[in-house]
Amino acid sequence: GTAAAQTTLKVSHYLPPVHGIHTDFIVPWTEQVTACTNGEIQFEIFPGGTQLGNVAKQQEQVLAGVVDIAHGLHGIPRGRFPRTSLIELPFLTDDAGAASETLWELYPDHLAPEYKGLKVLALHAHNGGLIHTSDKKVETMDDLKGLRLRTPSPAVSAMLTALGATPQGLPPGEVYENIQKTVIDGTVFPWDPVKSFGLNEVLKYHLDAGAYTVPFFFVMNERKYEGLSDTAKTCIDEASGAALVAKFGDWWDKWDAAGRQEAEAAGHTITALSPEERQRWRDALKPVTEAYIAETAKQVDDAQAIYDAMRAKLAEKGQQ
Amino acid sequence: MTRILAPLRALVGAAAVAGVLAYAAAALLTVADVVGRQISMPVPGVVDLVQLCVLGGAWLVIPYAFLTGAHVGVDLVVDSFPPPVRRTLRIAASLAAVVLLALVLRQSWEAFGMQLMFGDRSQQLGIPILWYWVPLLAGVALSIVASLLTIIDGIKPTVQESAA
Amino acid sequence: MSGGMIGFLGFALALGLIALGFPVAVAMAVVGVGGFWLLNGWTGAAFILGSSPFEAIFPYSLSVVPLFVMMGVFAARAGLSRSLFDMVNSFLGHVRGGLAVTAVGACALFGAICGSSLATVATMGRVAIPEMKRHGYADSLSSASIAAGGTLGVLIPPSILLVIYGILTQTSIGQLFIGAIIPGVLGAVLYGLAIVVRVRMAPHLAPPVARSTWAMRLRSIGRVWGVALLFALVIGGIYLGWFSPTEAAAVGAVGAFVLAVISRELTRQALKESVRETAALTGMIFFILIGASLFNYFLETTGLPAALIRLIEESGLGPTAVLVLIMLFYIVLGCFMDAMSMILLTVPFLAPVAAALGFDMVWFGILIVTVAEIGLITPPIGMNLFVVQATQPGLSQRVVVQGILPFILADVVRLVILASFPILALWLPSKMF
Ligand code: NA
Ligand code: NA
């Protein structure tokens, strides 16, 4: 038969090709679209470690048309997605499934303005992050006093400062040697990167605080999308959106489980934050949350409304 | 001629001094943090500051490397060529560098504009992205100047030879 | 024309430009941008032109480059390195090649803390080559000793390359660190042997000096307290957990400056020259990093590395033949890329091949890092050869290349030994874990 003209789309992301994001999510997604279009759409993937795998450039690459599709972190560089980043505020959610769906449901009415030029294929967020330490066991707020902890985002830095710890910005690849040399006392991460960066070798204590999450985007260049055939557009739509977002809860559980099992096998101490202590942290962090929203409101008029909408959606999903 | 060129050379030299001072600042900030954290007085956002000093310092010294011909190359083949050919090749290489740097300047300016529009700031301290781009753009522009100076220097011996 | 073919032509063109005397960084950048333009249009070229000058220098881990260079420059200016080499000379000067062997050992030690080959060569080249020259050593021997010695540090923990490999392949970083110690020491010993053999064959390369008396030796020990203090501070501080290896560069730079001031050798003129040296050397290294980044963008989109690996994978050859092919592949790729880019770019494709052949991943990682570093000293294009050349004004690449052959032979011997006896890499980890 006469095959339609082939189009090759470039996909980039910043995680190593052994990561679940690559093996469970992006590769199968591209295969699904290729099969659905009978081979019309092919993909070339550039994972972390390649020149196109720089975490800070994912959004720009898509906008510039250097790649067609990218998966990246909203928080790096910071401040580009102030609306979406409100999900990072402390104690909003500790569940990847609920957080991912909330983002997707709020996207059309509340978050869309910050994705100009982008066709948003999916938004998601990881399970509640933990506080991992090497020598000092953390159970209460007082244990955090003076600890130097690596943090992923300004929201988490503000949270740690309010709780008495010293936040330290550091590239994820440098965390291992800095913990090993006791330059920092630990790091704030979900379970998954603890395994992918080999950190269980240098950590001993894990406090399951469930205190924060971090959002991720999966986006396509809008003009490129509009220029595709109707079949291709339909296939991409079918593979993306709500159907894709719904998968992230289980995926994150699976990716995190590997890190937790590794820690358990190594005989580490894993503690959950007690309900009373959790309330103490919440109370202590109220001013941080308010200040962060006020700061965001300088850029985004309805920051408070978006935060409230996030809380309401998450409450519907049984969070808090 | 020298009256125009000497100040340009001095400018490249001054940028290099500023660049090395930026490195020194990175070193002092790190040492202050190392000492400070022993007494619970760490330097906040030291990684951000070191990155700023090193990126800025690097771009301020790069023009000097162009001016002094510090950029290394392979002389194995070229050494066997007659001097006029060698000189022509040297000038061709400098011209290639000028074209390349001009393109870098133009596109870096665009990238800077885009990041300015996004309101980008450094990850921990929120240092405005402007601080990173100003030394970078100045360094690229000065590198063009430095390459042009080396071209002028490269042509000069020919003049002397023909005069002799 | 296929992407792989364009990749080959790009290699050839860059090599041609370099042979015609274009600076390495400029040749790589021009070919990288031009090739990327050809393959991805102006939008693509425009993007990398605006991105590489920032992103190639931005990583925090690169701060070790300028700071260790400063440490080396001040240490040399303060006469610290002079007193060190005088001491070594008083003990070993009567042994032919003794200073070069010592320089290799010092490189291994310094590389161990600094973790960056380029920074090691830039620092030790500045410190050691003038001293060897002063003692009558030929430039070819002294410069090649430093270029080769600079490759040793990556195997001695901490090593950022092993961390990256561990992350990419999900191999224990701790086991990699421990496993790399014996291969690293083996490398240093073989380099030492290479020097001894070379000097026996060509004695004029390293003239001996009269044996020193014990009184002279003791006096020379008395003068090295400054260097001893600096090294003890930098290395001890890392192992005591006072600072990370990255931060050690800053401590070393400030420490060397303070010692230079105390020694009263840091005159106004000496300070000026220190600034000039630091600027020229770091400017050149950083611009090479930018050129390499632009070239790597191009190389990646041609799909050449991936195509070559597929070729190896589908060759149907046995484990030994595949291992040999992989080694050759890395040595060739090492012509253009720094070890870090090579590992990031190729290990994701190679690791499954290695696993399928039943290779132990710790052993394989140590082999890969070893061979990736060898690319740095193989002509025509080896980054360490260029950096060592840049540390000595007037030193020609021809002279450096003349001296490097014995070290490449030593590396080949090391690879054969490591490939034949995996136990060398696996014995220590088996005791510790
Ligand atoms: Na090392
Ligand atoms: Na090479």
Side-chain angles (χ1 to χ4, degrees):
Chain A
T2 51
Q6 271 193 8
T7 306
T8 301
L9 298 180
K10 288 184 178 159
V11 186
S12 65
H13 67 86
Y14 68 93
L15 287 154
V18 286
H19 194 277
I21 290 278
H22 184 85
T23 55
D24 293 338
F25 155 35
I26 290 181
V27 172
W29 184 87
T30 59
E31 286 167 353
Q32 186 186 342
V33 173
T34 301
C36 171
T37 57
N38 277 321
E40 181 194 331
I41 302 288
Q42 302 284 329
F43 293 92
E44 199 179 343
I45 304 177
F46 296 89
T50 65
Q51 293 287 322
L52 292 168
N54 183 339
V55 63
K57 305 300 279 183
Q58 296 304 316
Q59 177 204 10
E60 275 169 58
Q61 280 168 200
V62 175
L63 287 174
V66 174
V67 299
D68 304 302
I69 297 172
H71 175 264
L73 271 170
H74 286 86
I76 301 181
R78 75 184 238 182
R80 288 207 183 164
F81 297 92
R83 294 161 186 270
T84 313
S85 296
L86 286 165
I87 198 85
E88 291 172 10
L89 281 168
F91 293 111
L92 254 183
T93 167
D94 64 358
D95 181 73
S100 302
E101 284 169 20
T102 297
L103 288 176
W104 186 248
E105 285 161 25
L106 292 186
Y107 164 66
D109 294 337
H110 291 94
L111 312 180
E114 59 197 18
Y115 296 90
K116 286 204 179 74
L118 298 171
K119 156 87 181 164
V120 182
L121 303 172
L123 300 172
H124 66 105
H126 69 55
N127 280 323
L130 297 89
I131 297 173
H132 312 268
T133 43
S134 53
D135 298 322
K136 290 161 192 145
K137 187 176 175 188
V138 178
E139 277 183 320
T140 65
M141 213 158 99
D142 314 290
D143 299 332
L144 278 172
K145 205 135 263 137
L147 288 195
R148 253 168 106 80
L149 300 171
R150 186 263 172 190
T151 96
S153 70
V156 176
S157 296
M159 173 178 104
L160 288 176
T161 309
L163 294 172
T166 308
Q168 171 72 54
L170 214 55
E174 297 231 344
V175 174
Y176 185 99
E177 81 172 26
N178 276 276
I179 293 179
Q180 195 190 30
K181 298 294 167 208
T182 66
V183 170
I184 56 176
D185 300 298
T187 179
V188 180
F189 261 145
W191 277 114
D192 163 69
V194 168
K195 177 163 165 55
S196 29
F197 291 109
L199 300 179
N200 271 321
E201 291 179 16
V202 288
L203 293 167
K204 236 184 323 207
Y205 302 100
H206 312 265
L207 176 68
D208 197 346
Y212 80 98
T213 188
V214 163
F216 304 79
F217 57 76
F218 185 49
V219 296
M220 181 167 183
N221 182 300
E222 200 169 37
R223 258 174 298 133
K224 188 79 183 185
Y225 173 81
E226 295 301 341
L228 294 177
S229 72
D230 287 340
T231 324
K233 278 193 242 180
T234 313
C235 286
I236 287 178
D237 288 347
E238 273 172 18
S240 315
L244 175 58
V245 171
K247 296 178 183 170
F248 281 99
D250 289 342
W251 275 338
W252 275 113
D253 288 348
K254 177 187 162 192
W255 302 332
D256 283 337
R260 185 177 178 116
Q261 279 157 12
E262 195 182 65
E264 281 168 357
H268 293 183
T269 309
I270 303 173
T271 326
L273 195 63
S274 70
E276 311 82 70
E277 190 62 21
R278 199 176 166 86
Q279 196 52 50
R280 257 185 90 202
W281 289 31
R282 265 178 197 280
D283 295 341
L285 292 174
K286 224 168 164 225
V288 173
T289 305
E290 283 163 5
Y292 189 94
I293 294 173
E295 187 61 34
T296 306
K298 289 180 190 163
Q299 283 172 273
V300 178
D301 294 338
D302 50 348
Q304 186 66 48
I306 297 171
Y307 179 73
D308 293 340
M310 281 176 179
R311 286 192 62 153
K313 274 276 182 230
L314 287 162
E316 275 173 35
K317 299 175 197 300
Q319 287 276 290
Q320 294 159 10
Chain B
M1 197 69 164
T2 34
R3 225 179 274 168
I4 317 166
L5 298 186
L8 287 176
R9 275 178 222 280
L11 192 61
V12 172
V17 172
V20 174
L21 285 175
Y23 293 158
L28 289 172
L29 284 165
T30 305
V31 170
D33 183 59
V34 166
V35 175
R37 66 192 177 221
Q38 302 293 336
I39 51 169
S40 295
M41 279 175 62
V43 177
V46 67
V47 171
D48 275 14
L49 293 169
V50 167
Q51 282 181 297
L52 174 63
C53 291
V54 170
L55 181 94
W59 267 109
L60 289 173
V61 303
I62 285 175
Y64 187 75
F66 272 99
L67 185 68
T68 55
H71 293 302
V72 289
V74 177
D75 44 15
L76 295 166
V77 182
V78 181
D79 274 358
S80 60
F81 294 167
V85 177
R86 285 212 299 254
R87 198 173 308 124
T88 313
L89 283 171
R90 256 206 315 276
I91 292 173
S94 292
L95 280 175
V98 169
V99 173
L100 176 81
L101 288 163
L103 287 173
V104 165
L105 183 61
R106 190 190 135 149
Q107 290 319 124
S108 294
W109 178 258
E110 296 261 315
F112 167 52
M114 186 163 177
Q115 297 195 357
L116 207 58
M117 183 195 79
F118 279 126
D120 281 0
R121 285 170 298 154
S122 76
Q123 211 55 26
Q124 200 181 348
L125 288 181
I127 305 166
I129 205 73
L130 179 86
W131 286 89
Y132 295 79
W133 280 100
V134 166
L136 192 157
L137 292 166
V140 181
L142 273 178
S143 296
I144 297 179
V145 171
S147 299
L148 290 171
L149 287 171
T150 59
I151 293 177
I152 294 169
D153 291 345
I155 293 170
K156 243 186 285 172
T158 326
V159 179
Q160 285 164 356
E161 269 170 6
S162 59
Chain C
M1 196 163 29
S2 75
M5 196 62 214
I6 295 177
F8 264 119
L9 289 178
F11 257 113
L13 183 59
L15 266 178
L17 288 177
I18 289 166
L20 289 178
F22 276 55
V24 178
V26 174
M28 288 202 292
V30 168
V31 174
V33 172
F36 204 78
W37 196 334
L38 192 71
L39 290 166
N40 297 295
W42 169 247
T43 338
F47 178 80
I48 65 171
L49 279 165
S51 163
S52 283
F54 193 112
E55 302 296 337
I57 303 182
F58 191 62
Y60 174 59
S61 51
L62 284 180
S63 63
V64 299
V65 171
L67 301 189
F68 272 132
V69 166
M70 278 174 94
M71 167 175 151
V73 167
F74 284 129
R77 285 286 157 202
L80 292 180
S81 38
R82 189 185 183 111
S83 59
L84 180 68
F85 273 80
D86 280 345
M87 183 201 76
V88 172
N89 197 46
S90 75
F91 282 89
L92 289 174
H94 59 284
V95 182
R96 276 190 190 273
L99 281 186
V101 174
T102 311
V104 164
C107 279
L109 196 67
F110 188 79
I113 42 172
C114 133
S116 154
S117 294
L118 298 185
T120 304
V121 175
T123 312
M124 295 305 295
R126 187 63 202 76
V127 167
I129 296 175
E131 293 304 317
M132 284 192 264
K133 202 183 192 107
R134 196 161 60 86
H135 289 98
Y137 278 52
D139 282 346
S140 64
L141 178 66
S142 59
S143 60
S145 303
I146 299 299
T151 66
L152 292 170
V154 286
L155 277 183
I156 301 167
S159 159
I160 189 72
L161 284 184
L162 288 172
V163 171
I164 300 278
Y165 174 88
I167 291 169
L168 287 173
T169 59
Q170 300 288 288
T171 308
S172 159
I173 295 164
Q175 289 200 24
L176 286 166
F177 275 11
I178 302 290
I181 293 176
I182 292 179
V185 172
L186 176 67
V189 169
L190 287 172
Y191 280 170
L193 278 176
I195 292 169
V196 170
V197 172
R198 177 83 189 107
V199 169
R200 178 151 302 177
M201 286 161 60
H204 67 276
L205 294 177
V209 294
R211 191 184 286 269
S212 305
T213 63
W214 274 102
M216 289 158 75
R217 288 175 182 175
L218 287 177
R219 221 175 308 131
S220 70
I221 289 177
R223 276 188 233 111
V224 297
W225 63 270
V227 200
L229 198 70
L230 190 61
F231 269 76
L233 177 68
V234 170
I235 298 176
I238 292 175
Y239 283 95
L240 290 171
W242 291 349
F243 37 80
S244 71
T246 309
E247 294 167 330
V251 176
V254 173
F257 181 78
V258 169
L259 284 173
V261 170
I262 293 174
S263 73
R264 301 224 183 99
E265 304 225 15
L266 201 63
T267 59
R268 215 184 150 77
Q269 187 57 28
L271 187 63
K272 253 188 193 164
E273 272 165 25
S274 303
V275 169
R276 273 193 208 129
E277 276 173 35
T278 306
L281 197 48
T282 60
M284 168 270 185
I285 293 177
F286 278 124
F287 201 67
I288 278 205
L289 290 176
I290 293 168
S293 153
L294 290 167
F295 192 79
N296 289 345
Y297 264 115
F298 160 67
L299 203 58
E300 224 170 76
T301 46
T302 64
L304 181 63
L308 287 175
I309 290 165
R310 253 197 316 280
L311 219 61
I312 293 175
E313 200 176 2
E314 290 161 1
S315 63
L317 294 168
T320 314
V322 169
L323 199 62
V324 170
L325 278 181
I326 290 176
M327 305 273 142
L328 288 177
F329 167 68
Y330 267 81
I331 291 178
V332 172
L333 207 59
C335 277
F336 281 94
M337 303 173 83
D338 63 300
M340 173 84 82
S341 310
M342 265 196 283
I343 282 176
L344 286 170
L345 189 58
T346 57
V347 162
F349 300 101
L350 269 182
V353 180
L357 287 169
F359 293 157
D360 181 284
M361 292 312 278
V362 170
W363 168 71
F364 185 69
I366 290 166
L367 268 185
I368 289 293
V369 169
T370 307
V371 75
E373 287 286 306
I374 294 175
L376 298 179
I377 58 164
T378 48
I381 299 167
M383 295 285 187
N384 280 14
L385 303 180
F386 296 138
V387 175
V388 81
Q389 182 194 354
T391 61
Q392 305 303 313
L395 181 62
S396 112
Q397 184 67 192
R398 185 197 301 271
V399 170
V400 182
V401 169
Q402 271 168 4
I404 203 69
L405 185 66
F407 296 96
I408 296 176
L409 288 178
D411 275 333
V412 172
V413 171
R414 172 157 58 131
L415 280 180
V416 171
I417 294 176
L418 283 181
S420 316
F421 304 102
I423 185 82
L424 289 172
L426 299 177
W427 180 71
L428 272 183
S430 73
K431 294 279 146 199
M432 311 279 290
F433 290 89

